[in-house]
Amino acid sequence: MENIKALAANLGLTYRDLGPADVGGGYLLSSQAGWNQTEADWRLMLANGQGWGLESPDGQLIASALTLPYGTEVAWISMVLVTETWRRHGIATDLLRHCIDHLDARGVTAGLDATEAGRLVYLPLGFQDIYPIDRMVAETPDLSDLGVERISRAMTAEDMDKVVALESVAFGAERGALIAHLFRQTPDVARVIERNGELTGYALGRNGRNYLQIGPLVAASETDALALLTETYGQGSGTSEPLLLDIPGHHAGLIKSLKDAGFTRQRGYVRMLMGQAEVMGNPGLVYAITGPELA
Ligand SMILES: CC(C)(COP(=O)(O)OP(=O)(O)OC[C@H]1O[C@@H](n2cnc3c(N)ncnc32)[C@H](O)[C@@H]1OP(=O)(O)O)[C@@H](O)C(=O)NCCC(=O)NCCS
């Protein structure tokens, strides 16, 4: 806490906790960086997590960092942003140190999905690479050529407990609040695969600033993942809006199928965990993450 406070004072900035009133300032910050979050995303993150930021003398939020707890053992560090004119002063480093201290004091492991620039800040702080993630986008996606069978159905409120249980296995921590939020926000893109009474996969999504993002997408096989995607997007809801998917690099087959369907790789991320290179959950089941800010 002391480092970031002192740094802020040296730079003529104010360091403070973030709260519900920062939805607008946070949205401006992430929009300036070209990110996909909406005000609803910021509302969710500020309500479920804890955030800190720096403010310029004219009252503008110029930097942010949040911690989002998942269960009792893991938290995601999210929305690490420093506005362009204030970069390379050590602000992100000291905000991160504060997040890490906050989580260490609670015995919670920090994870995050890093951009290329962010990774250069996180490596010296002790974060280690777990796996790469490719951000695949299409402005006018056409998934009809993926040629998959219709095997999913629309998710209902009765599926919630089973989805939360499978998400806990796939991600590696309890994410009931996140799953409920996504289902409430965009029920039309939520689908599940059920076989012999057992829920084996699901897709949820949310409308972003520029793209519909589908994730988490959890499935027992690549065929099931493609079916969920196709039915969620093309045939399920009949939508045709720009689509974004963050695909773990170990699902190279899915990435290739998306490229064949006209998707391009917009950028890469790296999933990182603090101080341990152990994989959490079962990444083989995760065909698309929720997004780097939500994991
Ligand atoms: C990434 C970001 C948060 C870094 O913020 P920052 O306050 O400038 O970072 P710091 O000043 O603490 O940087 C610490 C060190 O990280 C490295 N670093 C940070 N940004 C870098 C960049 N763009 N290129 C190369 N090295 C970089 C440098 O080693 C730097 O030390 P130095 O300035 O003494 O050389 C900021 O550039 C940003 O908001 N970018 C857009 C959004 C984003 O990618 N956020 C990260 C999400 S995971």
Side-chain angles (χ1 to χ4, degrees), residues 33 35 80-83 86-94 112-122:
W35 287 8
V80 179
L81 286 157
V82 177
T83 201
W86 286 100
R87 288 180 191 165
R88 306 303 285 267
H89 290 286
I91 291 176
T93 301
D94 281 355
L112 50 81
D113 291 319
T115 59
E116 216 171 283
R119 184 168 171 271
L120 298 172
V121 177
Y122 310 141

Side-chain angles (χ1 to χ4, degrees), residues 167 170 175 179 182 191 193 200-205 214-222 224-230 232 245-248 251 254 258 283-291:
E167 175 68 9
R175 304 227 281 173
I179 299 293
L182 295 173
R191 293 189 77 83
I193 293 179
T200 60
Y202 52 85
L204 289 133
I214 294 179
L217 170 58
V218 165
S221 67
E222 193 177 307
D224 284 6
L226 281 169
L228 277 166
L229 251 187
T230 310
T232 290
L245 298 155
D246 288 322
I247 314 285
H251 289 308
L254 178 57
L258 291 171
L285 297 174
V286 182
Y287 283 83
I289 66 163
T290 314

